[in-house]
Amino acid sequence: MYAAGAAGHGAAAGPPPGGGTGQSWGAPDGAGQAAPRPKRRRTRTPIASLAVLVLLIAGGALAVGVANATAHSPQRAVEAYLDALRGGDVDRANELADPRANSSERSALTKEVYDRAEHRITGYRVVDAHSSGSSATVRVEITQDEKTSTVELGAHRVANSALVLHNWELDEPLTSTVHVVVPTGVSKVTVNGVGVSPEFKPDEGDAKRIAADLVVLPGRYAVEVPPKSKFLGYGSAQTFDYAPGADAEDQGAGAEDGGNAALTFSDNFSQALIADADNEIQKHVDLCIKRKAFAAPRCPNQSLMASDGSSSYRDPHWTLTSRPTLEEPEYEGDGVGTISSKTPGKATLQYQYDSFGTWETKKEEVDIAFTVRVTVDGPEKFHFDWLARGAAG
């Protein structure tokens, strides 16, 4: 049994019948708790919103201005183009500065040809850049073949989808045109050893010749016409250097004002014949050096001592000290032409001279100079005839 409560206090009230044990049955719900405060709405005044908008616009304008002055500047367009040339990226260079050439003129404007070009652009430095409205001029110092020259590249602004950022394109590329003139019947040339087939058209003023234009980038180019047979062709390769900003005399054979070039090829001996003829001529010189004669027939090593036919000279011995080099052939047509020595060879003649009954040993230095007539007798056969020493015909 439970004891009665203390005096002055009523008996503790039990839970109501059937009440759950988890329910408070003391003070009423909410009694003794503070009423929640209503939430305050934050409002932005029109002045504050306008200030934020102004800051955003100013920041965006600043970012656009920085981009237009750097990544989207005419100077950057020029740098991107020169980087492509320096890196040998022909496709990228043509994309950045349209060569404005047809497919025939672009025959040599390929990576394969450009990869083999010597004396390409190896460096550059932007000197200054000036823009006025939608036009700009960038002055650049270009390094090529360890030489520097200054060129100006124009650029113009073009529209873009952003309408804010500027896009710049180059007005003209750094290209040159090589005008190649060949005899009729030729359909192909090689440029730096790569075969190209431009569209040849009749040459003005010469019904026996045809011509084509080839567009090239800065560098050195060797143009050659393949031979029509082993011993008949169109002469040696002709080399042309295109260096933007350089004088015409520094551009190589055939260079004209403006950096363009005209290369003309004619019927001639092939390089194979020139090489074989050089080999045969050198062998012939060796045989002549071995002959113990002051002036053997058909030999270029001839001494003045033989001119008087005197018996005062005897026992000649030749020693070759340097070999002759050959000039380019003088082609006369129909498989006939002449080849002359370019740099005379040198030989020493030692002999004995009768000096009042006493034979004395003497030496004489003689040039090995000559001209030979070459005749092609068939597809793989030729012969040559020695002409007067040092002169043709």
Side-chain angles (χ1 to χ4, degrees), residues 299-300 302 327 330 332 337-342 344 367-374 385-393:
C299 283
Q302 299 189 11
E327 290 274 12
E330 293 288 337
E332 300 170 6
T338 57
I339 299 179
S340 301
S341 54
K342 179 179 182 180
D367 285 344
I368 307 296
F370 54 83
T371 296
V372 298
R373 186 177 301 282
V374 180
D385 300 302
W386 289 85
L387 304 178
R389 179 177 180 270

Side-chain angles (χ1 to χ4, degrees), residues 12-379:
T21 59
Q23 182 178 356
S24 174
W25 47 272
D29 289 344
Q33 298 182 9
R37 295 180 180 180
K39 294 183 179 179
R40 298 177 59 186
R41 288 187 178 179
R42 295 183 180 180
T43 58
R44 182 172 294 148
T45 65
I47 295 178
S49 299
L50 181 61
V52 171
L53 180 60
V54 169
L55 289 175
L56 290 175
I57 292 174
L62 178 61
V64 169
V66 172
N68 284 335
T70 55
H72 291 264
S73 67
Q75 175 177 329
R76 184 65 193 108
V78 170
E79 290 173 342
Y81 179 65
L82 294 177
D83 285 341
L85 292 181
R86 184 172 57 180
D89 192 342
V90 177
D91 291 339
R92 178 60 175 161
N94 293 341
E95 177 185 339
L96 294 171
D98 187 358
R100 298 183 180 90
N102 59 40
S103 58
S104 173
E105 295 167 337
R106 289 174 180 252
S107 299
L109 202 60
T110 65
K111 178 174 176 56
E112 188 177 8
V113 171
Y114 197 56
D115 281 347
R116 302 187 184 191
E118 299 178 347
H119 300 173
R120 295 180 353 195
I121 291 176
T122 55
Y124 66 88
R125 181 180 67 87
V126 175
V127 179
D128 53 45
H130 302 282
S131 61
S132 176
S134 60
S135 300
T137 301
V138 181
R139 194 156 56 100
V140 185
E141 187 178 81
I142 293 175
T143 301
Q144 188 176 351
D145 189 24
E146 299 183 353
K147 300 175 183 177
T148 59
S149 58
T150 302
V151 299
E152 288 187 352
L153 292 171
H156 59 277
R157 192 169 61 203
V158 296
N160 60 77
S161 58
L163 300 178
V164 178
L165 293 175
H166 297 165
N167 280 346
W168 292 86
E169 291 182 356
L170 272 64
D171 294 338
E172 295 182 355
L174 291 178
T175 57
S176 176
T177 300
V178 183
H179 187 66
V180 181
V181 182
V182 298
T184 55
V186 172
S187 61
K188 181 179 181 179
V189 298
T190 64
V191 182
N192 292 344
V194 180
V196 299
S197 300
E199 182 182 353
F200 286 98
K201 297 180 179 180
D203 189 39
E204 296 181 2
D206 193 342
K208 295 182 178 181
R209 295 183 180 276
I210 53 179
D213 289 336
L214 298 175
V215 175
V216 296
L217 295 167
R220 168 170 289 183
Y221 298 88
V223 181
E224 186 174 8
V225 182
K228 52 187 173 182
S229 67
K230 181 176 180 179
F231 292 142
L232 295 178
Y234 305 95
S236 304
Q238 298 186 39
T239 301
F240 164 68
D241 289 290
Y242 170 45
D247 296 331
E249 55 265 26
D250 296 330
Q251 304 283 358
E256 300 174 342
D257 291 338
N260 298 329
L263 305 179
T264 300
F265 295 85
S266 302
D267 290 310
N268 207 328
F269 295 125
S270 69
Q271 293 303 298
L273 182 138
I274 296 172
D276 286 1
D278 190 1
N279 186 52
E280 293 299 321
I281 288 171
Q282 302 298 345
K283 287 181 180 179
H284 187 77
V285 169
D286 289 340
L287 291 175
C288 290
I289 291 295
K290 293 178 180 179
R291 298 183 67 175
K292 296 181 178 181
F294 285 100
R298 301 180 67 251
C299 283
N301 53 319
Q302 299 189 11
S303 170
L304 296 176
M305 299 298 103
S307 61
D308 60 4
S310 171
S311 59
S312 299
Y313 306 95
R314 70 179 189 185
D315 200 18
H317 291 274
W318 292 92
T319 302
L320 185 66
T321 56
S322 67
R323 293 191 174 277
T325 62
L326 302 185
E327 290 274 12
E328 284 291 315
E330 293 288 337
Y331 189 72
E332 300 170 6
D334 298 326
V336 178
T338 57
I339 299 179
S340 301
S341 54
K342 179 179 182 180
T343 303
K346 298 289 184 180
T348 300
L349 171 64
Q350 180 176 298
Y351 59 93
Q352 289 189 322
Y353 168 68
D354 184 4
S355 176
F356 303 103
T358 302
W359 289 100
E360 298 180 356
T361 300
K362 291 186 174 291
K363 290 185 178 181
E364 178 185 349
E365 297 296 324
V366 176
D367 285 344
I368 307 296
F370 54 83
T371 296
V372 298
R373 186 177 301 282
V374 180
T375 302
V376 176
D377 302 310

